[in-house]
């Protein structure tokens, strides 16, 4: 991880699934780079549930006191559920120093203006939408900040690029909700498709274990084909679909059940849900 002068310590408010994924990602990057103690990024997390704090990596400091996290961190990442964000901001606001702190939020649907209203004037704010695959350094992340600050972009890249091969700045905040629906929630859609393939494989006579390995590798291989060939999914799909063949039969059934429309609707509904969360 790049060591930016001001960002020596990261404090996570919340210690759930995403906070753990980010903490694991940052700390494993520290370890992989074999950074000396003074160069590595310190990570601390807080939440009211001690059992979640105990599940964090050993080199992540933890506390049940959010203010302690703020006092010990340069970069504060708000990783609580959207409906808790406002009360957390009210709690930490007195300890936020706009000259020292950058506040980053990964909460779905909560806009930058919510943070501006709740925090001291001039606080640097970044809205980020990662996904759970950050845990295995395969995340897809987008972020938004007001203005054109390169430094905030660099800080975001420093934290997320090592755990997220895509870490893309977005210029229109409305697209943050679209990203939440597409890539933030998208891991679950792909897992749902893998689950369906596994069930279908079991129905055809495979053990669940073999069906899972086949389905998982098939999804991984398809993604790799797109990535490595630079060809579109449509091109690659047409390439593997022989006239009158088995794949064509399978695709016909997916069309008949309007699977593509269902995915459109799923992403659209997920995006609309962001409006309700704020
Ligand atoms: P989670 O339920 O696993 O974790 C929430 C954490 O917040 C828990 O540790 C909980 O104890 C803690 N918490 C609750 N009240 C608190 C308080 N007052 N102070 C400090 N901590 C408090 O949720 P998650 O899935 O990790 O989601 C966290 C955020 O990340 C959400 O806003 C969500 O929109 C966003 N997000 C989630 C995903 C995902 O795939 N789960 C992906 C992208 C973004």
């Amino acid at each position: 991880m790049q060591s930016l002068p001001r960002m020596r310590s990261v404090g996570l408010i919340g210690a759930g699934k995403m906070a753990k994924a980010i903490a694991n990602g940052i700390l494993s990057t520290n370890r992989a780079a074999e950074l000396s103690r003074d160069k590595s990024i310190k990570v601390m997390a807080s939440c009211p549930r001690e059992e979640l704090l105990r599940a964090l990596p050993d080199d992540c400091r933890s506390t049940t006191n959010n203010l302690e996290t703020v006092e010990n961190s340069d970069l504060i990442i708000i990783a609580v559920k959207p409906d808790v964000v406002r009360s957390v901001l009210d709690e930490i606001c007195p300890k936020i120093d706009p000259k020292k702190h950058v506040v980053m939020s990964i909460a779905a649907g909560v806009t930058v203006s919510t943070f501006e209203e709740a925090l001291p004037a001039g606080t640097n704010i970044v809205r980020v939408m990662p996904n759970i695959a950050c845990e295995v350094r395969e995340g897809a992340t987008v972020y938004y900040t007001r203005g054109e600050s390169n430094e905030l972009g660099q800080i975001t890249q420093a934290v997320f690029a090592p755990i997220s091969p895509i870490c893309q700045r977005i210029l229109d905040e409305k697209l943050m909700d679209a990203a939440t629906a597409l890539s933030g929630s998208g891991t679950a859609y792909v897992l749902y498709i893998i689950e369906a393939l596994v069930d279908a494989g079991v129905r055809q006579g495979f053990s669940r274990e073999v069906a899972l390995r086949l389905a998982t590798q098939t999804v991984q291989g398809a993604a790799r084909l797109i990535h490595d060939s630079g060809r579109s999914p449509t091109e690659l799909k047409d390439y593997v679909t022989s006239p009158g063949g088995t794949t064509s039969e399978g695709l016909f059934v997916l069309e008949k059940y309007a699977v593509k429309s269902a995915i459109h609707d799923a992403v659209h509904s997920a995006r609309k849900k962001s409006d309700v969360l704020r």
Side-chain angles (χ1 to χ4, degrees):
M1 181 185 301
Q2 211 175 312
S3 290
L4 289 164
R6 286 172 56 218
M7 296 297 123
R8 313 286 330 144
S9 46
V10 175
L12 291 147
I13 308 283
K17 294 177 279 296
M18 281 310 294
K20 192 171 154 209
I22 294 167
N24 267 325
I26 297 171
L27 292 166
S28 62
T29 307
N30 273 348
R31 282 179 232 123
E34 293 180 355
L35 294 174
S36 59
R37 218 177 154 71
D38 57 317
K39 289 227 171 100
S40 61
I41 309 287
K42 315 273 176 299
V43 184
M44 183 169 191
S46 52
C47 91
R49 290 174 55 192
E50 294 196 20
E51 79 279 12
L52 292 177
L53 296 173
R54 280 195 295 274
L56 292 167
D58 289 344
D59 37 359
C60 177
R61 284 180 63 199
S62 64
T63 171
T64 50
N65 182 346
N66 291 335
L67 298 182
E68 198 184 329
T69 298
V70 173
E71 278 163 4
N72 284 288
S73 309
D74 303 317
L75 171 62
I76 295 148
I77 303 181
I78 308 292
V80 296
K81 291 286 185 201
D83 59 341
V84 185
V85 169
R86 191 68 211 213
S87 64
V88 163
L89 294 180
D90 290 344
E91 180 191 356
I92 66 171
C93 178
K95 294 280 177 195
I96 296 288
D97 174 357
K99 290 202 195 74
K100 174 188 175 192
H101 292 122
V102 169
V103 177
M104 215 171 247
S105 161
I106 63 164
V110 186
T111 58
V112 167
S113 53
T114 302
F115 288 83
E116 287 169 340
E117 282 159 25
L119 295 175
T123 305
N124 283 304
I125 295 155
V126 189
R127 185 175 164 195
V128 185
M129 182 44 59
N131 67 16
I132 194 72
C134 287
E135 171 108 34
V136 290
R137 300 208 222 165
E138 286 289 345
T141 299
V142 297
Y143 65 96
Y144 170 81
T145 66
R146 291 237 201 274
E148 290 176 7
S149 160
N150 273 341
E151 203 192 353
L152 286 181
Q154 280 176 324
I155 291 166
T156 312
Q157 293 281 346
V159 174
F160 283 95
I163 56 177
S164 186
I166 293 176
C167 184
Q168 171 86 42
R169 184 175 198 153
I170 276 183
L171 299 176
D172 177 357
E173 190 176 4
K174 279 199 215 99
L175 283 176
M176 290 300 291
D177 291 341
T180 305
L182 179 64
S183 48
S185 305
T187 314
Y189 312 151
V190 175
L191 293 170
Y192 177 86
I193 289 166
I194 294 176
E195 178 192 61
L197 284 170
V198 173
D199 286 346
V202 169
R203 186 172 174 220
Q204 297 304 317
F206 285 111
S207 71
R208 197 157 281 279
E209 190 201 343
V210 172
L212 176 63
R213 287 175 57 210
L214 287 172
T216 306
Q217 182 55 42
T218 301
V219 170
Q220 207 161 306
R224 191 66 186 261
L225 269 174
I226 297 170
H227 181 269
D228 288 4
S229 70
R231 295 164 79 185
S232 73
T234 309
E235 261 183 282
L236 288 165
K237 176 173 67 62
D238 290 352
Y239 176 62
V240 296
T241 307
S242 313
T246 55
T247 307
S248 172
E249 268 320 293
L251 287 169
F252 171 74
V253 176
L254 294 178
E255 281 295 293
K256 194 166 82 177
Y257 287 101
V259 172
K260 201 183 267 182
S261 299
I263 292 171
H264 273 262
D265 278 1
V267 172
H268 188 66
S269 287
R271 188 194 57 72
K272 282 203 302 191
K273 181 75 179 178
S274 291
D275 299 337
V276 183
L277 292 177
R278 36 180 170 262

